[in-house]
Amino acid sequence: MSYFPMFIDIEGKHILVVGAGKIALRRVQTLLQFRARIKVIAKEIPKEQKEAFHLLVLEEKAFEESDLTEAFFLVLAATNVKKLNHEICMLCRKRKILANTATDRTDCDFYFPAVAVQEELVVGITGDGSDHRKVAETAARIRKVLEMEHEEKNQSRQQRE
C-alpha cells in the first residue's frame, strides 16, 4: 500500500518516542531538525543516547499506559519488543494519536520518512515498508545531490563577490 506524502509543521508539537536504540536515535535526530518537543521513555537509555538526547525530556523506565497523554501529537514506538510496539500503537489509536512503529508497518498510521534537508528544501522519501535499504540509499543519493548543488551555489556566490 502506498501512503500519501504530507508535510506538516511539527515545531513545538509534543512527540513521544518509546525506546532508545539506534532507530529511535535516528528518528529523534531527524525530528529535532524541525523543532519538535520530544520526550523519550525507555527502560535503559545508553550513555551515548543520553548525550545525544541531552536537550530532551528523558525517562528511564518501562512504558506505562499512563505515559500516553492527549498532549502528544504523535508517538513513535521504537522498542525492540514487537508486542509492546503493537500495544502502544493500539493505545494511540484509541486516543486518536498518530502512531508509528519500527517493527510492523501494518500498525503504522504513517511511515517515518528518510529526510534530506538543504537550506529551504526538505525532501521526504519512503517506500511501502518492504525495502528499507532502497529507501536509505535513495535518500543518501538525494542528500548528495542537494549538497553538491549547495556547494555549487556557494562557489558561484564567492566568484561573483
Side-chain angles (χ1 to χ4, degrees), residues 3-108:
Y3 278 54
F4 173 75
M6 181 173 74
F7 290 81
I8 56 173
D9 180 7
I10 62 168
E11 182 174 355
K13 299 245 188 319
H14 294 270
I15 296 174
L16 175 63
V17 178
V18 183
K22 291 177 184 176
I23 292 172
L25 176 62
R26 281 195 315 265
R27 292 181 177 184
V28 165
Q29 289 170 330
T30 298
L31 292 167
L32 286 174
Q33 294 179 75
F34 301 95
R35 297 180 291 282
R37 297 177 66 185
I38 302 168
K39 178 177 186 176
V40 176
I41 295 175
K43 279 186 182 179
E44 294 180 40
I45 302 175
K47 183 181 177 190
E48 56 274 8
Q49 262 71 322
K50 282 182 184 176
E51 291 168 4
F53 295 160
H54 73 281
L55 297 175
L56 310 179
V57 175
L58 304 178
E59 288 192 26
E60 199 161 7
K61 66 178 202 69
F63 172 82
E64 300 170 20
E65 185 174 347
S66 60
D67 294 319
L68 196 59
T69 69
E70 292 174 8
F72 291 110
F73 176 68
L74 59 89
V75 173
L76 303 176
T79 75
N80 60 357
V81 181
K82 187 175 182 174
K83 183 178 179 190
L84 175 58
N85 290 343
H86 173 76
E87 289 172 11
I88 292 168
C89 287
M90 295 304 104
L91 290 169
C92 287
R93 278 217 181 90
K94 286 181 188 175
R95 291 167 172 80
K96 301 199 183 321
I97 300 170
L98 295 172
N100 170 279
T101 173
T103 53
D104 185 349
R105 67 183 185 203
T106 63
D107 277 341
C108 295

Side-chain angles (χ1 to χ4, degrees), residues 150-161:
H150 177 71
E151 288 174 12
E152 287 173 10
K153 184 178 174 183
N154 284 341
Q155 287 174 354
S156 177
R157 186 180 302 134
Q158 289 172 353
Q159 289 173 352
R160 284 180 291 185
E161 293 174 352

Side-chain angles (χ1 to χ4, degrees), residues 111-126:
Y111 290 162
F112 198 95
V115 176
V117 179
Q118 188 63 250
E119 294 182 342
E120 69 280 354
L121 293 177
V122 176
V123 179
I125 304 103
T126 190

